[in-house]
Amino acid sequence: MTSSSSDFTLFPPEIAGALLQAGARVSRLCRTPVYRPIVESTNDVAAALAAEDPGDGILVLADQQTAGRGRRGHTWFSPPASGLYVSAVVTPLRARVDPARALALVTLTAGVALAEAIESACGLRVELKWPNDLYVGRRKIGGILAESTGSRSVVIGYGINVSAAAFPPELRNIATSIELELGRSVDRTPVLVESVAALDKRYGDLLDAQYDAILDAWRSRSPSSLGTGVEWSTPAGPQSGVTAGVDEQGALLVRTGTGIERIIAGELRWEL
Ligand code: BTN
């Protein structure tokens, strides 16, 4: 990537330099990079920009979010100088083969990419919990909120806890950070660069219809997707079963007393 193709001038210099140096590894997702010190939600900024500028390559990075959003109406703890809060705009329906499958697999693809990124940036093994939570042991270290913009694009928003040493009481037993896991301080910039590069690469695999490779990588990082007890609510009352893998569209399969249920959305309670 040349400096004329992506403008990082409003970025903190250290981050701008690292992204520029990453060059082609991040170029597809950094066509229009945007840095904001503080936003309500990077996903909202990215969606507003995507409405004006369809296509891949809007990337929004913030140092802090005042109304960071998680899945299913949860908030995402987003203090300054602590985590990564990033939203990337992608258009999976451009995939060469079976675009509907690319759309169905976009969040699993992002999960694989981010787990690979954390591992390559700092050597920390990260597992995935369906559909797209990043875990180390029993604690969540990152999450993904993919939202359709109403046109052909999707905003992939992700948060990774890098420092976040002072989680609020309600998160203390369920969240962790890279620094807490490694027991040392960690620079956010290389984690950011690796996360964008890994997402760029795995999104390329998605566009090339490398669906089985993506699913194999996802399955190898998700021991909980096979043989774990789960419970969920239905209009008819609570249901439960044991996970039986993910299918080719990324749905979670759960063996119940009456057969295999195919879960595509919803809040699960895990036995783990
Ligand atoms: C979850 O696990 O519930 C998803 C968390 C997603 C958080 C990220 S932080 C950047 C982007 N902007 C948001 O408001 N949310 C996502």
Side-chain angles (χ1 to χ4, degrees), residues 36 40 48 87 90 93 98 113 115 117 122 145 160 190-191 200 212 237 270:
R36 300 275 165 81
E40 288 187 355
S87 296
V90 296
L93 288 172
D98 197 351
C122 33
L145 178 66
I160 298 175
V191 187
D200 202 306
D212 292 338
W270 295 79

Side-chain angles (χ1 to χ4, degrees), residues 200-221:
D200 202 306
K201 176 179 176 302
R202 283 299 187 177
Y203 174 52
D205 292 347
L206 191 75
L207 292 179
D208 286 343
Q210 300 293 314
Y211 305 130
D212 292 338
I214 292 167
L215 281 167
D216 284 350
W218 193 91
R219 291 182 180 114
S220 75
R221 287 187 180 268

Side-chain angles (χ1 to χ4, degrees), residues 1 5-6 8 18-33 55-59 86-92 94 106-118 120 144 156 158 191-210 214:
M1 180 175 47
S5 61
S6 295
F8 293 108
L19 286 169
L20 274 170
Q21 199 170 0
R25 296 178 68 217
V26 300
S27 58
R28 182 184 355 234
L29 295 186
C30 288
R31 182 174 53 85
T32 309
D56 294 333
I58 292 167
L59 186 103
V86 182
S87 296
V89 177
V90 296
T91 52
R94 286 201 301 116
V106 73
T107 55
L108 269 63
T109 303
V112 168
L114 297 180
E116 289 172 343
I118 295 172
S120 78
I144 298 162
I156 301 175
Y158 62 90
V191 187
L192 168 73
V193 172
E194 287 312 307
S195 70
V196 179
L199 195 57
D200 202 306
K201 176 179 176 302
R202 283 299 187 177
Y203 174 52
D205 292 347
L206 191 75
L207 292 179
D208 286 343
Q210 300 293 314
I214 292 167

Side-chain angles (χ1 to χ4, degrees), residues 71 90 92 101-114 128-134 143-148 154-157 199 206 214 218 249-250 264:
R71 289 173 55 240
V90 296
R101 191 172 176 202
L103 186 61
L105 293 180
V106 73
T107 55
L108 269 63
T109 303
V112 168
L114 297 180
L128 297 167
K129 199 183 234 185
W130 190 89
N132 47 25
D133 288 337
L134 286 86
I144 298 162
L145 178 66
E147 296 179 307
S148 166
V154 175
V155 176
I156 301 175
L199 195 57
L206 191 75
I214 292 167
W218 193 91
Q249 300 288 328
I264 54 169

